[in-house]
Amino acid sequence: MMNMDLYQKYAEYIKENIGDFIPAVGIVGGSGLGNLFDEADIKACIEYRDIPDFPQSTVEGHNGCFLFLEYKGRNIVFMQGRIHYYEGYTMQQVVTPVIVMKLLGIQILILTNASGGVNPTFEAGDIMMITDHISSFVPSALMGENDERLGERFPDMTEIYSKAFRKTLCRIAAENHIDLKKGVYVQASGPNYETPAEVRMFQVLGADAVGMSTACEAMVGKYLGLSVCGLSIVTNKACGLCDTPLSHTEVQKTAETTTAKVACLIKNFIETV
Ligand code: HPA
């Protein structure tokens, strides 16, 4: 259930600690993508553990803080670490940071993640712009009583990932000679990686990359009226398409190697929108 009082309490705590800073853009940094901005741009840092009763990120490589930054005159809140369903949280808790960022003032939501390449043409290190997603394998965060102040009961999901943003990202990629793949992201619950049979199922369903996050956040972003875009770092070929067992360390390492390209895409994007 959407708990507006709680979201407002979190937002108030944060506002008390960031003065008159109003973020316009919210960014979620996925595994291995915590360092897209320079330290010098950071105005304030609020750790999740310091916000009373806030869900905590327990994953290696996910720090657990909101960074408040100014980049080329744009105010940004950057989530260094997200909350995952597989950590045992409810879906409502998982999407809480997105709702709180909306209450702080964001209009634009940029999501990043690490994923396994389900599309056999994808290689480790590829960057995929998310064009659409499949979230049917995890519960919806909107189940339970709806709070109309946040969004409508039955939100439309025709275009979660803004077409205009996708066009902009494609242009930026071309200008900077970055090979940007496009495709459908499917959210699995995790924390286990998929079996080869599950990956074949995801191929049949039309997915190009599989991960354990993001779709729920994007869906809620759309519900909240945010303009959303998503970048997925293909850190490995999905299970059954590669010879080696999957490991989180490999996922993190590969994601880190794409930091410069992802930062280039996101920074140019922020300057444009
Ligand atoms: N599956 C699910 N999530 C992932 C993967 C994967 O292969 N790689 C990185 N995150």
Side-chain angles (χ1 to χ4, degrees):
M1 197 177 79
M2 294 287 159
N3 189 339
M4 193 65 163
D5 290 346
L6 198 57
Y7 304 138
Q8 273 165 343
K9 191 183 91 167
Y10 295 145
E12 283 312 313
Y13 175 89
I14 294 169
K15 279 183 195 166
E16 279 166 23
N17 287 280
I18 57 174
D20 56 6
F21 187 100
I22 298 176
V25 182
I27 306 175
V28 182
S31 292
L33 291 175
N35 297 311
L36 296 179
F37 290 88
D38 294 336
E39 300 240 330
D41 298 326
I42 300 171
K43 303 269 177 235
C45 168
I46 297 183
E47 306 218 14
Y48 302 160
R49 64 166 166 253
D50 291 335
I51 307 170
D53 307 322
F54 201 76
Q56 306 296 310
S57 186
T58 62
V59 191
E60 188 71 25
H62 282 251
N63 242 348
C65 61
F66 289 108
L67 297 177
F68 294 87
L69 312 136
E70 192 185 320
Y71 180 75
K72 301 250 166 115
R74 303 300 304 265
N75 282 356
I76 300 165
V77 50
F78 183 89
M79 276 175 61
Q80 207 173 43
R82 56 155 55 90
I83 313 299
H84 297 86
Y85 186 53
Y86 63 71
E87 292 174 87
Y89 291 110
T90 64
M91 265 302 176
Q92 284 79 10
Q93 287 175 306
V94 169
V95 301
T96 289
V98 173
I99 298 172
V100 170
M101 291 195 293
K102 159 82 182 185
L103 295 181
L104 293 176
I106 68 162
Q107 292 122 38
I108 294 170
L109 179 64
I110 304 173
L111 301 168
T112 69
N113 65 39
S115 65
V118 168
N119 182 325
T121 68
F122 288 178
E123 299 293 336
D126 280 350
I127 303 172
M128 183 188 90
M129 180 180 72
I130 306 176
T131 56
D132 199 354
H133 74 220
I134 297 169
S135 65
S136 320
F137 293 92
V138 290
S140 169
L142 302 183
M143 287 201 292
E145 199 181 320
N146 186 50
D147 193 318
E148 291 283 330
R149 288 171 293 180
L150 291 171
E152 60 182 303
R153 171 78 290 190
F154 300 108
D156 174 68
M157 294 290 145
T158 309
E159 188 189 315
I160 298 183
Y161 302 89
S162 154
K163 222 177 218 174
F165 281 2
R166 280 186 262 150
K167 211 168 149 193
T168 304
L169 276 172
C170 285
R171 179 179 53 74
I172 293 166
E175 283 168 5
N176 291 279
H177 311 289
I178 294 170
D179 178 20
L180 187 62
K181 311 287 187 201
K182 293 157 204 74
V184 173
Y185 176 90
V186 59
Q187 178 169 5
S189 72
N192 53 289
Y193 292 111
E194 300 69 38
T195 64
E198 285 162 347
V199 170
R200 286 196 301 275
M201 170 184 72
F202 289 145
Q203 287 176 329
V204 171
L205 295 181
D208 296 287
V210 57
M212 306 173 192
S213 65
T214 306
C216 54
E217 298 159 352
M219 183 277 289
V220 165
K222 174 73 181 166
Y223 160 78
L224 295 169
L226 301 175
S227 298
V228 181
C229 67
L231 292 172
S232 187
I233 313 310
V234 179
T235 54
N236 53 276
K237 282 174 151 311
C239 183
L241 301 174
C242 58
D243 308 325
T244 45
L246 307 184
S247 86
H248 184 57
T249 311
E250 269 317 300
V251 164
Q252 270 181 281
K253 265 202 233 153
T254 309
E256 275 164 22
T257 64
T258 69
T259 295
K261 280 194 226 167
V262 177
C264 171
L265 288 170
I266 290 181
K267 285 178 175 174
N268 278 288
F269 179 77
I270 288 169
E271 275 185 68
T272 316
V273 292

